[in-house]
Amino acid sequence: MKGRHVTSFTLTLCILTTFLYRQVSSQGLVNTTNGTLSGIREMVGEKPVHLFLGIPYAKPPVGELRFKNPLPALNWTGVRNATEFGDTCMSASPVSPKMSEDCLTLNIYVPGDVIDSGHSNVTKAVMVWIHGGAYRSGASSEYDFRNFAVEDDVIVVTVNYRVGPFGFLSTGDVNAPGNAGLWDQIEGLKWVRDNIASFGGDPNRITIFGESAGASSVSQLAMTTATKGLFHRVISQSGAALSPWAWVHDAIDVAMTIGNLLGCNATTTDTAKLVRCLQNQDSVVLINASSQITAGRTYFGFSPVVDGDLFPRSVTELLKDTDSDVLRHFRSVDYLIGFTDSDGGVFLFKLPFNYTSGIPGDKLRDTLIPQLALQVSALHKDEIEAKMKDIYYDPSADKEATARHYCAIMVQRI
């Protein structure tokens, strides 16, 4: 009887060990320019995938580095454990309890056969995901690309970048030029370019893609010569550099308002004092103040700016200059743009009436479409309104279907 118990226990232990091995096993070691990484090997169905999580690509942007462009990550000694996501960047809408300014990390999902084959001559295409979140929230850890990487046989990289005031506060001068969040993305792409071959990736086949603010970000990265050689294809999902919400035009006013709220007592002629004051603020206090002063704005309070450096002129002006280096760079990359299904539903909450059961047809026809046509062009309002009604208004549709038509209009507006 005792022997049967031992045999049963041994069999159970073997089964558990086999199960655990299928989930997490044989940690892969990869050498990078900063040091050696140890990842996780998991299974997606019958296919292996390696995960390398929380890899620092820049120095922590704290203290005097707050609001500044990122600096390359420091090297480490020994083997760095890359088995957990790094902290989420500070955000007004936190998606993780692990949130801090020390957040500039990236994650790599590698189809397992690349590492299992000992870095053979097989190199895979690379896709770098830039998350959305209105430039004020979001994190790379929100997205799981294990299935995507394995099923499509592609290496996927996801990147954290600073958002809200930490990533996009600007005083319009050298003290806080703005666009730190975009520079974070660029620094992450530099790390990928320099290291992805060690993971079996092809640095000459890098696609950047994103949704919402991630979509406008990748579009903006395609419109600056600072990203030359860092990627070759771009996919924008529900957002672009021409989206009106993708830029802020009163950044100095936003920065001054936050400073006044926090007692900085600085003037527009002393932005160095303002920035020093804001750098010394507790991160949570700064987040709360930024949320308070941007509430009720039509567009975001923290977005990229035309800074004279990353963007010497507005994107509209750059696109008109057909002989510029910027436009030549833009034309050198493959570009795919579209939108996600029903993404316009995010605008429903702004409607001044109860829409929970749908939208009445006459409300869409007589109020919403005319308002939207006017916003597009006062000069061509009547023509636009007629076309929109022809496409999106169906007198036989019920309220739910009509609401979907409204969402479709708003997707086009994005």
Side-chain angles (χ1 to χ4, degrees):
M1 194 71 176
K2 181 178 179 181
R4 288 178 62 188
H5 283 307
V6 172
T7 302
S8 176
F9 173 78
T10 303
L11 179 61
T12 301
L13 181 61
C14 288
I15 293 172
L16 285 172
T17 302
T18 301
F19 174 78
L20 289 172
Y21 180 82
R22 288 177 58 81
Q23 302 305 309
V24 179
S25 65
S26 64
Q27 295 180 342
L29 295 179
V30 175
N31 293 319
T32 74
T33 54
N34 297 111
T36 303
L37 293 169
S38 173
I40 312 169
R41 185 180 189 272
E42 297 187 355
M43 299 297 293
V44 176
E46 298 299 318
K47 299 178 180 179
V49 60
H50 277 82
L51 279 62
F52 296 86
L53 309 176
I55 305 169
Y57 66 82
K59 286 183 180 180
V62 297
E64 292 184 354
L65 295 182
R66 181 186 281 181
F67 311 132
K68 304 298 184 181
N69 290 357
L71 298 175
L74 297 174
N75 296 340
W76 59 83
T77 58
V79 177
R80 184 183 180 94
N81 189 20
T83 57
E84 293 185 359
F85 288 110
D87 287 359
T88 297
C89 291
M90 295 299 299
S91 164
S93 303
V95 297
S96 167
K98 292 175 58 182
M99 187 170 68
S100 75
E101 289 185 74
D102 183 1
C103 62
L104 298 186
T105 60
L106 54 81
N107 316 291
I108 306 177
Y109 300 77
V110 185
D113 61 329
V114 174
I115 290 179
D116 290 345
S117 64
H119 308 297
S120 68
N121 292 327
V122 177
T123 56
K124 298 189 181 297
V126 181
M127 298 188 72
V128 181
W129 172 253
I130 306 298
H131 69 76
Y135 295 105
R136 65 187 292 273
S137 63
S140 60
S141 58
E142 288 185 276
Y143 304 88
D144 185 350
F145 280 99
R146 285 174 293 187
N147 286 335
F148 187 94
V150 168
E151 296 304 320
D152 293 286
D153 196 31
V154 62
I155 293 175
V156 181
V157 182
T158 63
V159 182
N160 270 359
Y161 61 95
R162 284 171 286 177
V163 294
F166 302 95
F168 297 98
L169 182 137
S170 173
T171 56
D173 57 22
V174 295
N175 293 303
N179 298 328
L182 290 182
W183 284 109
D184 290 345
Q185 296 170 19
I186 292 171
E187 193 66 31
L189 287 168
K190 289 179 180 178
W191 195 97
V192 172
R193 176 198 61 193
D194 295 341
N195 290 282
I196 204 63
S198 297
F199 297 84
D202 186 348
N204 296 311
R205 285 196 294 161
I206 296 177
T207 299
I208 59 174
F209 68 128
E211 181 267 340
S212 191
S216 52
S217 288
V218 298
S219 180
Q220 287 160 331
L221 294 182
M223 289 298 300
T224 174
T225 56
T227 61
K228 280 185 177 180
L230 297 181
F231 53 83
H232 313 87
R233 292 179 171 178
V234 180
I235 302 174
S236 292
Q237 303 164 229
S238 297
L242 291 174
S243 299
W245 44 262
W247 304 91
V248 64
H249 303 286
D250 60 343
I252 181 61
D253 294 335
V254 173
M256 291 302 302
T257 303
I258 292 180
N260 292 337
L261 186 63
L262 296 177
C264 293
N265 298 318
T267 66
T268 54
T269 58
D270 193 3
T271 56
K273 176 182 179 182
L274 172 65
V275 170
R276 285 195 302 271
C277 174
L278 295 178
Q279 286 175 332
N280 289 325
Q281 298 293 325
D282 176 79
S283 58
V284 175
V285 171
L286 182 56
I287 279 288
N288 291 339
S290 67
S291 298
Q292 184 177 337
I293 66 101
T294 57
R297 287 175 62 97
T298 302
Y299 295 124
F300 310 144
F302 298 102
S303 297
V305 295
V306 177
D307 59 357
D309 180 15
L310 196 59
F311 305 105
R313 291 176 286 165
S314 72
V315 167
T316 303
E317 293 175 356
L318 291 171
L319 288 171
K320 292 178 180 178
D321 188 352
T322 57
D323 194 39
S324 68
D325 288 341
V326 170
L327 202 56
R328 278 193 289 270
H329 169 56
F330 181 74
R331 287 172 172 167
S332 73
V333 300
D334 297 328
Y335 198 112
L336 177 65
I337 188 168
F339 51 84
T340 57
D341 187 35
S342 300
D343 206 16
V346 70
F347 294 100
L348 285 171
F349 77 95
K350 290 189 174 183
L351 293 175
F353 56 84
N354 189 334
Y355 55 83
T356 53
S357 61
I359 297 176
D362 59 346
K363 180 73 75 173
L364 179 67
R365 179 194 63 207
D366 300 334
T367 304
L368 298 177
I369 285 179
Q371 288 175 350
L372 291 168
L374 179 61
Q375 291 174 15
V376 174
S377 171
L379 182 62
H380 302 287
K381 172 185 176 298
D382 293 340
E383 303 161 56
I384 296 170
E385 180 180 330
K387 193 64 176 179
M388 290 173 71
K389 287 179 179 177
D390 182 52
I391 297 173
Y392 297 107
Y393 172 64
D394 180 357
S396 65
D398 60 21
K399 291 198 293 184
E400 181 178 340
T402 300
R404 293 186 181 279
H405 294 161
Y406 174 75
C407 290
I409 295 174
M410 299 310 291
V411 165
Q412 300 296 328
R413 186 185 178 194
I414 291 174

